[in-house]
Amino acid sequence: QVQLVVPMAVVFGPGSVPRDLPRPLPFRDVQEMEISVNLRSSVTSRYEMRYRSTTGQEEAALAAATAREADAALYPLQDTTLGSLTMYVVPETSSLLPQGINVYVGKHRSALVRAVGSLAALQARLREVAQVMSFTAGSIAAALSDRVPDGRLSPDARRNLKSSLGYEITFSLLNPDPKSHTVDWDIEGAVNRYVKPVLDKLSLVANFSVDSQILYYAVLGVTPRYDKESSSFLLSAHSLPHVINPVEARLGSSAASLYPVLNFLLYVPERSHSPLYIQDKDGAPVSTNAFHSPRWGGIMVYNVEAPASPQASLPLHVDVDVARVMEVFLAQLRLLFGLSREEVPPEFLLECPGNEGLADWELDHLLWAHTVENIATVSTTLTSLAQLLDKIGNIVIKDDVASEVYRAVASVQSAVTKLSLGHLHAAFQASKEAVTSSERAFFDPSLLHLLYFPDDQKFAIYIPLFLPMAVPILLSLAKIVRETRLRKKEPTKMD
Amino acid sequence: GGMAAAVLLLLLLATAPGPGRADAGQERRDTLREELLLSPLPTGDVAATFQFRTRWDADLQRGSVSHYRLFPKALGRLVAALGVRELHLALTQGFWRTRYWGQPPLQAPAGAELWVWFQPTVTDVDKAWKELSNILSGIFCASLNFIDSTNTVIPTASFKPLGLANGTDHHLLRYAVLPREVVCTENLTPWKKLLPCGSKAGLAVLLKAERLFHSSYHSQAVHIRPVCRDASCLVVSWELRQTLTVVFDFFSSGQGKKDWSLFKMFSRTLTDTCPLASQSKVYVDISPKNKEKELLEVSPHPTSVHEAVVQGDKKTYAVYDLLSPSLFNTSRSLNVQLKWKRPQDSSEMPVPTLHAQRYVGGYGLQTGEICTLIYNTHPYRAFPVILLETVPWYLRLYVHTLTIITKGKENKPSYIHYQPAQDRRRPHLLEMLIQLPANSVTKITIQFERALLKWTEYPPDPNHGFYVGSSVLSALVPSVTAMKDMDVEQSPLFTSLFPSSDGSSYFVRLYTEPLLVNLPTPDFSMPYNVICLTCTVVAVCYGSFYNLLTRTFHVEEPSRGGLAKRLANVIRKFRGVPPL
């Protein structure tokens, strides 16, 4: 049974303390919530709240003009361990939060919450904020998507990448028509400027490697439809699933590593097919001209502007506007990691993470989900290993495999304990170790079940013995049957 | 002085990438050059050699983020991740008959050959080698994953780095040959995928599997090596050469005519160039033989004619430059044709200066003998040759039986390196430096005993035999014609991979035939036969016992009997004997 404990500090600013507090500040309180995954298993989430009033420094920080300034000033005063949250309750009439906004979530691990009349209402609001900043029932279900029954999973849940120790990000520029376009992109600069900061932040979650390539004569699998009205070519939403396959054959596998690959393709359409636009399900053009494929990556179509004079010499030189492209790709990257900001109630205001591309609490969000997923993966791996052993009795478990299994079990137990103590980082590290050990044990070459002689074949070898021996037995059985039948008939004959 | 020079060098090294990065937009940092060499062979066959050369002015070994343009990402990452300094992989179907076809531009042994130099920074070379062969096996769909310690050797003299190298510690080298490997379409497709233009444009349009594998010899190779970026050689560039050699037999299939054309060979013609290539040329070997000129005629008219000395022979090439705008002006496609004006008498075939032959001698299934014949046909010059022999452990070589005989006399090798095999762990390695006198045949024999394998060690179809990989001959062959210092870049295939030493000799690497040896093979159906037989016996015994135990016996009343009994009684009556 997994229990996720979120340590949470609720700090009341002057004039924001609800009147119906059960005890004088400071005091502690616990709220539990159960997230059921399937019939047999469920995950409990437990918010350990510490209510207190502000210190002098915090009071000074909260007196800032805007919420952003207050957030920046409060940051050095907070508990910055991974997974912990700090909520500052500001008075109902506070001017820190704009009109109509009740919750401001900062860049780090804190939020400003507008006070409501009663404690119960405040607690409901706090719970909502805590879920946004740590995990929701939906994000946990997505992490455990292998165990959730099919019908109960939202379609978005299958979009998220599986947890892994590392990811490879490949940017590919597809130029199907090098005769007409010479396309250049400053991918090195773009990666350093836009992708690197995000990945540096994400390096806590996994290892990332980035590379890029240019592929020529790589065409999409679908011929776009010509639209006379706009004199452009259109790719409709229902044809998009067929686009990727022929391209994928050219992408090249990551032979040198076992990590999953995230592909981001920039497609510069042929001259005879441009401009090319992607249509959504309703037939309207997609503003970004891009789409993503769950657990695979994203594709963006980059149209080349037609030259002013038709007799301009070919090939046309194209310099890709990498800022525009990277904006789309980074948004897709966030989507693939399940860090979408769309599912937030309207009364919430989320601070833009700035150059880092990722707020601290979003990182926590990822860590919670990945830790839970890792624990589930380990238990699945070890269960199937046990099933294999049950099926083949004479399989040999070598000492190193056994020690890996023991290590996996120990690590996964420690991860569960750390989770129930609220130590997110330690729990994540332990779960990572558990995954490594369990995979190493499961994929050990000595455990290949084909190495063992199946019992049905042993039986087949002795067919020359069993078959002739069965013949007299069967014959006499047949004789017995015939005789009993005769004996039954005889009395009727006597009549 | 030395210190100052070192500092200056460091400064140069430090500043060199600066301008390169700055003007990366205008100046291409990687180039692709493609060429096709068509050469009629003395026997009437035609050899076509493609070479695609990608050069990348970047250091693959450094930098965590890598951005690829023309250089294939899969190979680049491999080189960077595993610390490869040089990689040579060849997949070959068929055997290049040096005696009849002449010196090949680049020969490869039948099957798969892989040799790799690793960087000195690689600590566990064996692990990197294993990993590399597994990854290459995935990239090229070949069974390179069968490379293990039983077929890997570390040659000490035969394989030197072909690229830039500042140390030749041969412990960083690994060499393996899989003679059993069959090369087919599934190996060609990934090879073509590494080309920037794929098979969509340029010379690669001709590479159609159904024609390429309908040939006498097919060899495709990948060579990666570091080269000097410029004449001063302060910075490293990486070069990838993809070569493909194919030999078409037209004499037998073309009604005795030796005429050929691109369309006849590849069932395709050249229509456009690869827009990424900075050079795209077709060379046709039109060297006059026996001083008779104008024997053959090529059409259409070549862009230029180039003369060069290649492998000690004066050659004349008709050159078609696909990038020159005049070529595609007259017709939309290029179909190079060659016609012989007069039927040629094929009685006198030029014999290459160095060629070799190898076979297995002896009889029975216990012992045998490997014989290698090396021919030096040069009329007056002797030269040394390095012979590398790799023999699997299940042929137990007796080194004391090694004899080298030239012109009836024993020939003592000046260098010999022998590493005995260990059962199931490593093969025999024999390397010798042998002096070949002028106009001579050298016979090298060594006896072996065939080992018995465990029953699980036999491959499928063990009665087919066991392959022994080709032995490798490396030599600096003296040239008949003096070579001039010429522009190597102009010559076809850039006068191959090997460095040319000086004007008087040229480097040749030859491979002999692979051998097929029968080992004592047990009857694998025997255990099953025994099981069947014993089971049948047991079953018969069981059946009769069962019958005895279960049958009910009762006395039968005498009856008048059947037809036989009545017949017998009639006879008895005649004889006067009482009836039955």
Side-chain angles (χ1 to χ4, degrees):
Chain A
Q1 196 66 16
V2 180
Q3 194 178 38
L4 308 177
V5 172
V6 187
M8 213 168 119
V10 181
V11 184
F12 292 102
S16 63
V17 187
R19 272 149 295 151
D20 54 348
L21 279 187
R23 268 164 283 172
L25 292 172
F27 66 92
R28 285 165 179 274
D29 187 19
V30 169
Q31 286 198 358
E32 282 199 15
M33 199 177 72
E34 189 157 299
I35 304 167
S36 72
V37 178
N38 54 24
L39 291 176
R40 283 183 296 139
S41 53
S42 66
V43 176
T44 333
S45 64
R46 189 180 153 98
Y47 297 97
E48 288 186 352
M49 303 178 161
R50 274 181 303 122
Y51 295 92
R52 63 180 174 89
S53 50
T54 46
T55 61
Q57 281 172 310
E58 285 168 340
E59 223 161 280
L62 281 172
T66 62
R68 184 174 298 168
E69 283 167 29
D71 183 49
L74 285 168
Y75 177 58
L77 310 174
Q78 288 160 16
D79 174 17
T80 54
T81 51
L82 295 166
S84 66
L85 301 174
T86 314
M87 313 270 182
Y88 296 95
V89 184
V90 295
E92 228 170 321
T93 53
S94 168
S95 59
L96 271 178
L97 304 178
Q99 203 67 37
I101 295 295
N102 288 332
V103 175
Y104 166 85
V105 180
K107 272 166 89 165
H108 306 289
R109 295 185 175 85
S110 69
L112 302 180
V113 181
R114 200 188 287 275
V116 270
S118 68
L119 181 64
L122 180 68
Q123 276 176 341
R125 184 171 286 176
L126 287 177
R127 194 161 54 229
E128 213 174 339
V129 183
Q131 284 192 2
V132 166
M133 291 177 72
S134 55
F135 49 86
T136 56
S139 72
I140 294 298
L144 299 173
S145 57
D146 292 344
R147 302 178 165 221
V148 177
D150 264 341
R152 283 183 42 205
L153 209 58
S154 67
D156 286 350
R158 297 210 183 272
R159 181 174 61 204
N160 298 357
L161 283 165
K162 299 295 268 173
S163 168
S164 159
L165 302 178
Y167 299 94
E168 287 190 29
I169 300 178
T170 302
F171 295 100
S172 307
L173 173 64
L174 307 187
N175 184 359
D177 191 6
K179 274 218 160 67
S180 334
H181 302 136
T182 43
V183 187
D184 267 323
W185 63 344
D186 177 25
I187 185 68
E188 199 165 351
V191 165
N192 285 335
R193 210 166 322 131
Y194 306 108
V195 185
K196 261 278 163 61
V198 182
L199 297 187
D200 284 346
K201 191 119 196 191
L202 278 173
S203 64
L204 204 65
V205 180
N207 300 321
F208 286 91
S209 71
V210 183
D211 48 27
S212 80
Q213 59 182 345
I214 302 184
L215 298 175
Y216 299 93
Y217 292 102
V219 285
L220 301 183
V222 182
T223 322
R225 188 168 50 82
Y226 183 67
D227 183 46
K228 270 185 193 155
E229 271 173 48
S230 56
S231 68
S232 59
F233 291 84
L234 297 176
L235 269 180
S236 52
H238 67 86
S239 66
L240 293 182
H242 311 290
V243 160
I244 294 172
N245 274 4
V247 176
E248 177 137 47
R250 290 284 311 273
L251 289 179
S253 53
S254 62
S257 90
L258 298 170
Y259 296 146
V261 185
L262 275 171
N263 290 294
F264 293 104
L265 312 186
L266 184 67
Y267 182 76
V268 180
E270 305 102 304
R271 232 177 124 53
S272 54
H273 281 165
S274 41
L276 176 69
Y277 296 106
I278 297 173
Q279 275 184 324
D280 62 9
K281 285 198 178 76
D282 310 322
V286 177
S287 62
T288 54
N289 219 2
F291 67 98
H292 77 269
S293 169
R295 292 183 185 172
W296 184 84
I299 297 185
M300 179 179 178
V301 177
Y302 190 91
N303 285 313
V304 175
E305 279 167 42
S309 58
Q311 55 268 56
S313 71
L314 292 177
L316 215 63
H317 188 87
V318 182
D319 259 318
V320 174
D321 177 11
V322 279
R324 204 181 99 202
V325 173
M326 282 299 154
E327 194 185 350
V328 175
F329 284 163
L330 280 182
Q332 287 176 338
L333 184 75
R334 289 179 61 99
L335 260 181
L336 292 168
F337 274 107
L339 297 174
S340 151
R341 290 187 157 203
E342 286 157 11
E343 295 143 14
V344 171
E347 52 173 25
F348 278 56
L349 177 68
L350 305 184
E351 178 59 60
C352 172
N355 195 31
E356 288 172 332
L358 208 66
D360 285 350
W361 57 268
E362 285 177 311
L363 189 69
D364 291 356
H365 192 95
L366 211 57
L367 284 179
W368 284 114
H370 278 201
T371 311
V372 171
E373 190 184 334
N374 284 349
I375 292 172
T377 314
V378 172
S379 92
T380 315
T381 313
L382 293 181
T383 314
S384 33
L385 188 59
Q387 279 170 355
L388 181 77
L389 299 197
D390 281 344
K391 219 162 72 184
I392 307 168
N394 57 351
I395 206 163
V396 180
I397 299 289
K398 288 199 261 173
D399 281 353
D400 54 334
V401 178
S403 70
E404 291 290 354
V405 172
Y406 285 128
R407 197 173 305 143
V409 173
S411 302
V412 87
Q413 276 168 347
S414 120
V416 170
T417 344
K418 296 269 165 57
L419 272 183
S420 63
L421 292 172
H423 302 157
L424 177 59
H425 191 229
F428 177 68
Q429 294 296 349
S431 75
K432 240 161 73 167
E433 277 161 31
V435 169
T436 321
S437 301
S438 68
E439 303 274 291
R440 209 178 290 155
F442 187 75
F443 291 109
D444 194 89
S446 70
L447 290 185
L448 204 65
H449 82 271
L450 287 177
L451 289 179
Y452 295 90
F453 212 58
D455 285 334
D456 47 344
Q457 292 197 7
K458 275 181 204 157
F459 185 77
I461 285 180
Y462 290 105
I463 279 279
L465 176 65
F466 294 136
L467 216 61
M469 272 166 66
V471 168
I473 299 176
L474 290 177
L475 279 179
S476 52
L477 274 177
K479 201 173 158 194
I480 290 168
V481 170
R482 207 166 47 225
E483 275 175 5
T484 47
R485 211 177 274 167
L486 272 177
R487 208 167 296 157
K488 265 186 190 165
K489 270 185 184 170
E490 260 166 24
T492 49
K493 248 185 182 174
M494 292 297 273
D495 289 311
Chain B
M3 189 69 181
V7 169
L8 190 69
L9 192 72
L10 275 177
L11 275 175
L12 277 172
L13 282 173
T15 50
R21 192 162 300 162
D23 56 18
Q26 300 95 46
E27 198 195 329
R28 293 279 177 227
R29 293 201 298 157
D30 41 7
T31 51
L32 167 74
R33 301 203 244 178
E34 46 179 35
E35 45 193 337
L36 164 63
L37 169 65
L38 298 163
S39 36
L41 299 176
T43 47
D45 308 68
V46 184
T49 308
F50 292 83
Q51 176 171 276
F52 302 89
R53 194 166 87 139
T54 311
R55 227 181 90 138
W56 192 18
D57 291 348
D59 198 348
L60 272 174
Q61 303 287 350
R62 275 182 298 151
S64 56
V65 179
S66 38
H67 303 287
Y68 297 88
R69 205 179 77 95
L70 296 179
F71 204 90
K73 184 170 79 95
L75 291 182
R77 293 205 48 174
L78 192 67
V79 169
L82 294 174
V84 173
R85 196 170 62 194
E86 224 172 82
L87 184 150
H88 302 271
L89 166 72
L91 298 168
T92 310
Q93 186 72 36
F95 176 68
W96 182 279
R97 297 148 64 205
T98 313
R99 171 73 181 74
Y100 303 102
W101 291 348
Q103 221 72 260
L106 261 178
Q107 203 199 340
E113 182 203 38
L114 177 66
W115 60 283
V116 177
W117 278 92
F118 289 94
Q119 297 280 353
T121 48
V122 177
T123 44
D124 192 346
V125 179
D126 286 313
K127 189 169 158 257
W129 167 249
K130 182 81 202 143
E131 208 170 318
L132 179 77
S133 52
N134 278 323
I135 295 173
L136 284 176
S137 131
I139 294 178
F140 291 101
C141 297
S143 357
L144 295 170
N145 52 323
F146 285 109
I147 290 177
D148 54 10
S149 69
T150 61
N151 45 29
T152 302
V153 289
I154 306 173
T156 55
S158 296
F159 290 91
K160 291 291 164 206
L162 297 181
L164 264 183
N166 47 3
T168 52
D169 178 8
H170 57 82
H171 290 292
L172 299 168
L173 169 70
R174 292 293 181 275
Y175 174 82
V177 174
L178 299 173
R180 212 185 150 101
E181 179 73 13
V182 177
V183 182
C184 203
T185 323
E186 78 265 20
N187 308 112
L188 181 69
T189 312
W191 186 90
K192 278 199 292 195
K193 232 188 317 185
L194 297 177
L195 298 172
C197 278
S199 50
K200 300 274 170 57
L203 295 177
V205 198
L206 301 176
L207 300 172
K208 285 288 159 191
E210 70 263 32
R211 301 296 302 167
L212 292 185
F213 291 102
H214 194 256
S215 59
S216 323
Y217 176 80
H218 169 97
S219 171
Q220 61 186 66
V222 172
H223 303 273
I224 302 176
R225 59 173 186 164
V227 292
C228 286
R229 192 167 299 179
D230 45 27
S232 60
C233 206
L234 289 172
V235 214
V236 170
S237 291
W238 283 79
E239 185 198 70
L240 163 73
R241 273 174 200 247
Q242 288 180 256
T243 61
L244 188 143
T245 310
V246 62
V247 175
F248 292 103
D249 181 0
F250 278 106
F251 201 64
S252 58
S253 64
Q255 294 94 42
K257 276 188 190 168
K258 291 183 182 177
D259 304 346
W260 52 261
S261 69
L262 277 187
F263 187 76
K264 257 171 130 180
M265 280 194 274
F266 301 103
S267 71
R268 289 269 182 310
T269 54
L270 291 168
T271 48
D272 55 356
T273 55
C274 170
L276 309 164
S278 54
Q279 190 196 54
S280 189
K281 282 182 179 171
V282 178
Y283 293 86
V284 183
D285 186 352
I286 49 166
S287 323
K289 292 187 180 75
N290 324 328
K291 307 283 178 284
E292 282 180 273
K293 286 199 171 176
E294 300 294 312
L295 250 177
L296 34 73
E297 181 185 71
V298 280
S299 68
H301 196 71
T303 332
S304 62
V305 173
H306 177 72
E307 287 197 5
V309 180
V310 175
Q311 291 183 328
D313 250 341
K314 211 174 219 160
K315 300 265 182 178
T316 315
Y317 296 102
V319 186
Y320 297 89
D321 188 353
L322 300 189
L323 291 185
S324 86
S326 60
L327 195 68
F328 287 114
N329 269 357
T330 43
S331 67
R332 300 236 0 256
S333 70
L334 174 69
N335 182 20
V336 180
Q337 286 183 318
L338 187 137
K339 280 202 173 76
W340 296 87
K341 283 188 174 164
R342 211 173 328 139
Q344 221 192 359
D345 48 339
S346 54
S347 56
E348 41 184 324
M349 272 194 275
V351 177
T353 315
L354 172 71
H355 61 272
Q357 207 184 337
R358 193 163 71 138
Y359 56 89
V360 184
Y363 54 87
L365 282 177
Q366 199 191 350
T367 55
E369 193 178 51
I370 297 177
C371 303
T372 313
L373 297 174
I374 307 178
Y375 297 84
N376 175 7
T377 58
H378 199 283
Y380 51 87
R381 276 191 61 177
F383 59 89
V385 62
I386 301 177
L387 173 76
L388 168 82
E389 187 100 45
T390 321
V391 179
W393 63 267
Y394 40 77
L395 301 186
R396 302 207 163 107
L397 291 186
Y398 295 131
V399 191
H400 70 275
T401 61
L402 175 71
T403 53
I404 305 167
I405 292 170
T406 316
K407 290 181 169 170
K409 275 182 287 184
E410 198 187 338
N411 185 344
K412 264 215 145 60
S414 44
Y415 168 80
I416 191 159
H417 170 75
Y418 175 68
Q419 193 186 38
Q422 286 175 354
D423 279 7
R424 295 174 183 88
R425 279 175 56 198
R426 71 171 191 216
H428 300 270
L429 168 69
L430 179 62
E431 261 187 308
M432 293 183 286
L433 183 67
I434 305 166
Q435 188 74 21
L436 302 179
N439 213 354
S440 67
V441 185
T442 305
K443 185 175 185 184
I444 303 161
T445 57
I446 185 163
Q447 288 178 10
F448 63 84
E449 189 188 64
R450 297 162 213 244
L452 267 175
L453 300 183
K454 291 180 185 165
W455 70 280
T456 46
E457 284 169 345
Y458 286 91
D461 190 14
N463 291 307
H464 177 75
F466 289 73
Y467 283 95
V468 179
S470 312
S471 49
V472 188
L473 293 169
S474 318
L476 277 175
V477 175
S479 160
V480 182
T481 328
M483 278 189 266
K484 286 173 294 191
D485 266 346
M486 39 159 196
D487 192 4
V488 173
E489 300 277 290
Q490 288 299 316
S491 289
L493 310 180
F494 310 113
T495 53
S496 92
L497 262 176
F498 305 114
S500 50
S501 53
D502 55 352
S504 61
S505 57
Y506 58 97
F507 183 82
V508 165
R509 180 168 291 149
L510 283 186
Y511 295 88
T512 61
E513 299 90 337
L515 300 179
L516 190 56
V517 181
N518 268 317
L519 286 195
T521 309
D523 175 11
F524 285 102
S525 60
M526 194 266 275
Y528 189 68
N529 292 348
V530 170
I531 290 177
C532 281
L533 201 72
T534 39
C535 287
T536 315
V537 169
V538 169
V540 165
C541 294
Y542 170 81
S544 32
F545 249 108
Y546 181 86
N547 269 344
L548 270 176
L549 293 175
T550 55
R551 190 152 289 175
T552 45
F553 295 93
H554 43 91
V555 184
E556 202 179 320
E557 297 105 55
S559 63
R560 286 188 58 226
L563 181 72
K565 200 178 173 183
R566 260 189 272 164
L567 246 167
N569 282 345
V570 170
I571 297 169
R572 278 165 172 264
K573 205 184 261 174
F574 276 114
R575 288 168 60 199
V577 189
L580 282 170

